[in-house]
Amino acid sequence: MPKELSGDMNGQGLRVAVVVARFNELVTRPLLDGAVGTLSRYGVSDNDISIVWVPGAFELPVAAKNLADTGRYDSIICLGAVIRGETGHYDMVAGHAARGIGQVGVDTGVPTIFGVLTTENMEQALNRAGGKSGNLGSNAAAAAIETARLVQAINTG
Ligand code: INI
């Protein structure tokens, strides 16, 4: 029989950092609420959640890397909103955030979750931050729990 590994959704005992960009806080605040609500719903204790604010999405990777290097977190969730209509350097900010967040996970082995909205306008962003298209922060929190538990399962054989 082949062996199958997957992460379950038991958040009890998991220590999670949520890094959140202050830029476009109208969007990122509901992403944060969605993430924390979902972590709690799956059993992550408030005492095991650290919330870390950074100026913008560009700064998410460096904060995530430092958090991962402490060894104190089972997963790191990065939340931000990059809106094309409001920036000339959309591609650079969004690209750096995506590459950097991915790199932190690969380099450290700590699941580092991409919860950054990249949209054409504010309306689309709000729709995906608790509006009619769900809440990306909540999805990111579920991914954080599942991937942290998967990594535990891999490392315990
Ligand atoms: N930061 C964002 O999180 N979203 C944006 O849409 C954005 N725009 O529009 O430029 C943005 N810029 C700030 C950037 O993330 C850095 O904080 C800044 O460049 C300082 O390094």
Side-chain angles (χ1 to χ4, degrees), residues 66-156:
N66 280 275
L67 288 159
D69 284 347
T70 67
R72 292 201 296 265
Y73 298 101
D74 299 297
S75 192
I76 297 167
I77 300 169
C78 297
L79 301 176
V82 189
I83 301 177
R84 188 187 289 275
E86 305 195 351
T87 174
H89 52 288
Y90 169 97
D91 291 314
M92 275 177 279
V93 174
H96 173 79
R99 263 190 312 279
I101 291 165
Q103 199 65 50
V104 171
V106 172
D107 286 351
T108 65
V110 179
T112 305
I113 307 299
F114 185 69
V116 180
L117 280 172
T118 54
T119 64
E120 295 297 320
N121 55 51
M122 178 60 80
E123 188 191 354
Q124 289 172 350
L126 289 171
N127 282 343
R128 292 157 68 185
K132 61 185 178 196
S133 306
N135 187 313
L136 181 73
S138 174
N139 299 345
I145 293 169
E146 181 180 346
T147 314
R149 297 283 292 158
L150 172 65
V151 166
Q152 286 180 344
I154 291 169
N155 289 319
T156 55

Side-chain angles (χ1 to χ4, degrees), residues 17-44:
V18 187
V19 193
V20 54
R22 203 176 297 110
F23 203 102
N24 289 323
E25 190 175 340
L26 189 65
V27 179
T28 63
R29 176 77 60 177
L31 291 178
L32 175 62
D33 292 344
V36 171
T38 295
L39 292 174
S40 302
R41 199 158 53 250
Y42 285 107
V44 181

